[in-house]
């Protein structure tokens, strides 16, 4: 972690506050995961039951049980049982853990599944630390780094990310590790770093096909690395070939296996249990009204009111589907306030990002890395929402790595010193205040009023 310039808040150096914020954020996520049900927030979660007549149980939990019990890939058409067509790495990892703590150590299965849920907090923490390392690599320092860490640590979408057993949190970790490795390679040009990037991208694709959406941002760095390589006559193309082989071998074997073994088209998506929404893509992309955005925060069951992509995305960033006890009027009011603050912070972060781009705080390669990575993930998300118009596809947890790009862009708006211009000083002070209030509200709501 890069050192700050010996600035102090309440008489304590910023270095302390950086570590303190990270530890508190991880602790609160662990507390949150111990309080909630391990199946409440996972679509098609399934249950742990004895195999009826030898038939495997459906759902994510049933798939873990299948791998733990039979210890081989499905030898039947995976489309016939919910979730069994999903990439298998996360479920095999969970099955191995369950084999140890459930079968060998004799722990109750409910306790074991809660342990898997708590591991999500570790996966998310690793992904957040990758985001922080990337921010430091872009030159974000001092109080702006503390504010960046506050957002990455306390944004409610990360709490919701830890509450599912479908591999989303693990995939987020792999995507962030791959992005961080790609940027580290751009700085060091070490072949070992690029191999690591390929491995993490491949493992991410073995967890969820969504991991491939990080590739355009990496290509920006690789392309410029290749140009630099030609100028200095360093054979970087051999490194790229190794990267491609590793990522493809790890990430594409499962869809190829399904295609050649069962005739399932590549990147098949299981839509069992999903609720279709109404309206064409254009109407769903219109900005939502204030009423649409702030009412019915627990958006479940009425597809007609849940069709707007932006409203659903912001709602699931805060409460996902059932994260908070909104039956209490005060909690509902604070949740609406937190939701509105998240929208304001998002808008202001993008404005500050545009300003930092115009100010050219970093070189054009790193600016393009942020911009292309952001547009690729956002465009991919909109495409999926249009291609599969279901409530369940419009979840903020599906695009968590995207959140890192505008946050870094926001941190680059000025240096947090007296040399900043008036725009940078004003926006930085407003953002600092909003993020502090927002973080306190999130810690309070998820600490005391989680379902």
């Amino acid at each position: 972690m890069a050192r700050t310039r010996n600035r102090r808040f309440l008489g304590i150096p910023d270095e302390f506050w950086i570590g303190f914020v990270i530890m508190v954020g991880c602790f609160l996520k662990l507390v949150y995961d111990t309080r909630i049900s391990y199946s409440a927030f996972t679509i098609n979660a399934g249950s742990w039951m004895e195999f009826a007549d030898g038939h495997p149980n459906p759902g994510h939990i049933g798939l873990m049980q299948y791998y733990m019990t039979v210890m081989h890939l499905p030898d039947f058409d995976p489309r016939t049982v919910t979730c069994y067509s999903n990439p298998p790495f996360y479920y095999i990892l969970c099955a191995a853990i369950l084999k140890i703590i459930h079968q060998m150590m004799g722990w109750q299965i409910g306790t074991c599944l809660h342990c898997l849920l708590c591991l999500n907090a570790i996966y998310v923490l690793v992904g957040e630390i990758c985001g922080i390392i990337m921010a430091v690599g872009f030159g974000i320092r001092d109080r702006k780094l503390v504010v960046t860490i506050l957002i990455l640590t306390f944004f409610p979408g990360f709490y919701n990310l830890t509450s599912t057993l479908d591999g989303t949190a693990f995939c987020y970790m792999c995507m962030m590790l791959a992005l961080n490795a790609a940027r580290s390679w751009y700085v060091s040009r070490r072949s070992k770093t690029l191999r690591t990037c390929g491995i993490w991208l491949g493992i991410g694709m073995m967890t969820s096909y969504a991991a491939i959406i990080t590739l355009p941002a990496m290509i920006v760095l690789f392309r410029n690395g290749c140009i630099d390589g030609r100028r200095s006559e360093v054979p970087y193309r051999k490194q790229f070939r190794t990267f491609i082989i590793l990522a493809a071998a790890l990430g594409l074997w499962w869809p190829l296996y399904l295609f050649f073994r069962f005739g399932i088209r590549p990147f098949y998506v299981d839509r069992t249990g999903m609720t279709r929404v109404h309206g064409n893509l254009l109407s769903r992309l219109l900005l939502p009204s204030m009423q649409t955005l702030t009412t019915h925060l627990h958006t479940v069951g009425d597809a007609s009111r849940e069709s707007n992509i932006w409203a659903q995305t912001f709602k699931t960033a805060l409460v996902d589907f059932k994260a908070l006890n909104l039956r209490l009027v005060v909690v509902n009011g604070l949740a609406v306030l937190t939701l509105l603050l998240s929208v304001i912070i998002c808008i202001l972060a993008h404005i500050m990002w545009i300003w930092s781009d115009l100010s050219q705080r970093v070189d054009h390669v790193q600016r393009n890395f942020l911009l292309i990575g952001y547009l690729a993930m956002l465009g991919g998300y909109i495409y999926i929402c249009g291609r599969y118009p279901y409530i369940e596809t419009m979840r903020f947890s599906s695009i968590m790595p995207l959140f890192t790009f505008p946050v870094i862009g926001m941190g680059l708006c000025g240096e947090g010193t007296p040399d900043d211009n008036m725009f940078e000083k004003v926006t930085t002070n407003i953002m600092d205040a909003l993020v502090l209030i927002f973080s306190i509200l999130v810690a309070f709501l998820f600490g005391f009023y989680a379902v």
Side-chain angles (χ1 to χ4, degrees):
M1 180 70 67
R3 291 184 60 84
T4 61
R5 298 170 187 163
N6 296 320
R7 299 186 63 178
R8 292 173 174 264
F9 179 67
L10 299 178
I12 303 174
D14 280 355
E15 289 90 345
F16 169 82
W17 291 113
I18 289 173
F20 179 76
V21 167
I22 294 173
M23 287 188 296
V24 169
C26 183
F27 174 75
L28 290 177
K29 291 182 182 71
L30 285 171
V31 171
Y32 174 65
D33 287 338
T34 59
R35 294 181 57 189
I36 63 175
S37 169
Y38 54 79
S39 61
F41 304 98
T42 305
I43 300 170
N44 295 324
S47 58
W48 191 280
M49 301 180 298
E50 294 295 329
F51 289 177
D53 299 325
H55 295 295
N57 297 318
H60 298 284
I61 296 175
L63 184 52
M64 295 174 192
Q65 183 183 14
Y66 174 83
Y67 281 125
M68 189 198 76
T69 304
V70 304
M71 294 187 291
H72 61 69
L73 297 175
D75 52 6
F76 54 88
D77 190 335
R79 290 172 295 186
T80 60
V81 185
T82 304
C83 297
Y84 280 62
S85 61
N86 293 347
F89 185 85
Y90 173 75
Y91 303 100
I92 294 174
L93 175 64
C94 291
I97 296 172
L98 291 174
K99 193 83 172 176
I100 296 171
I101 63 177
H102 176 56
Q103 284 194 343
M104 298 175 63
M105 299 176 61
W107 291 16
Q108 294 293 323
I109 188 59
T111 304
C112 295
L113 293 174
H114 253 113
C115 288
L116 296 179
L117 200 65
C118 291
L119 283 175
N120 284 344
I122 307 300
Y123 304 147
V124 171
L125 175 64
V126 173
E128 290 172 344
I129 290 176
C130 287
I132 294 168
I133 293 173
M134 290 171 60
V136 172
F138 273 86
I140 299 175
R141 299 288 189 273
D142 302 327
R143 199 61 47 77
K144 295 185 77 69
L145 179 60
V146 177
V147 173
T148 299
I149 293 172
L150 275 173
I151 297 179
L152 291 176
T153 303
F154 286 99
F155 195 77
F158 291 109
Y159 285 82
N160 295 324
L161 192 61
T162 67
S163 62
T164 61
L165 285 174
D166 57 6
T168 309
F170 188 85
C171 184
Y172 164 72
M173 179 188 72
C174 294
M175 294 165 78
M176 292 302 298
L177 284 167
L179 285 171
N180 187 56
R183 197 189 172 282
S184 297
W185 174 87
Y186 178 71
V187 175
S188 67
R189 307 301 168 90
R190 297 173 58 190
S191 60
K192 180 181 178 180
T193 306
L194 196 57
R195 289 197 300 270
T196 302
C197 179
I199 290 171
W200 282 120
L201 177 59
I203 293 175
M205 290 179 64
M206 277 200 294
T207 305
S208 171
Y209 297 139
I212 193 65
I213 203 62
T214 58
L215 190 57
M218 299 177 193
I219 290 175
V220 172
L221 302 179
F222 298 161
R223 176 183 176 275
N224 284 273
C226 191
I227 294 173
D228 293 344
R230 284 202 300 269
R231 290 174 180 170
S232 60
E233 299 182 359
V234 178
Y236 291 132
R237 285 188 175 84
K238 183 177 180 181
Q239 296 185 25
F240 297 147
R241 285 197 296 269
T242 303
F243 165 82
I244 293 171
I245 291 171
L246 286 172
L250 292 172
L252 298 179
W253 72 268
W254 177 249
L256 292 175
Y257 169 79
L258 294 182
F259 176 75
F260 289 109
R261 180 77 187 272
F262 304 105
I264 300 175
R265 61 179 175 80
F267 309 111
Y268 168 79
V269 176
D270 184 2
R271 286 169 277 183
T272 305
M274 292 187 179
T275 306
R276 192 176 183 90
V277 298
H278 307 295
N280 57 48
L281 181 60
L282 181 61
S283 66
R284 295 170 60 209
L285 283 171
L286 296 175
L287 293 179
S289 65
M290 184 64 69
Q291 182 180 9
T292 302
L293 184 64
T294 59
T295 58
H296 303 106
L297 295 186
H298 282 166
T299 52
V300 179
D302 187 351
S304 62
R305 74 166 182 247
E306 297 165 354
S307 61
N308 187 270
I309 293 174
W310 308 121
Q312 184 74 353
T313 301
F314 275 104
K315 287 179 182 180
T316 56
L318 175 64
V319 299
D320 213 337
F321 290 119
K322 301 176 182 176
L324 300 175
N325 183 8
L326 298 182
R327 293 186 297 272
L328 301 176
V329 176
V330 175
V331 176
N332 189 79
L334 290 176
V336 171
L337 174 60
T338 306
L339 175 62
L340 294 177
L341 280 176
S342 70
V343 175
I344 295 171
I345 289 172
C346 179
I347 295 172
L348 184 57
H350 282 76
I351 293 172
M352 295 173 72
W353 183 15
I354 293 171
W355 179 270
S356 69
D357 252 13
L358 296 176
S359 303
Q360 299 184 356
R361 281 281 314 279
V362 294
D363 63 72
H364 74 282
V365 177
Q366 298 190 80
R367 293 200 305 272
N368 290 340
F369 169 74
L370 292 177
L371 181 61
I372 298 301
Y374 175 81
L375 292 178
M377 290 188 189
L378 184 62
Y381 176 65
I382 293 174
Y383 169 78
I384 292 297
C385 290
R387 179 69 176 82
Y388 302 102
Y390 299 92
I391 294 173
E392 291 76 11
T393 59
M394 298 181 291
R395 301 181 73 179
F396 190 80
S397 58
S398 303
I399 51 171
M400 286 305 302
L402 175 144
F403 185 69
T404 307
F405 296 103
V407 169
I408 292 177
M410 172 210 71
L412 293 173
C413 183
E415 297 184 1
T417 66
D419 296 331
D420 292 347
N421 60 39
M422 185 58 66
F423 176 84
E424 293 169 346
K425 289 179 180 178
V426 170
T427 53
T428 296
N429 289 332
I430 293 174
M431 181 63 81
D432 291 354
L434 290 176
V435 168
L436 182 59
I437 296 170
F438 180 77
S439 301
I440 293 172
L441 283 172
V442 171
F444 176 75
L445 288 172
F446 282 85
F448 295 99
Y449 293 103
V451 174

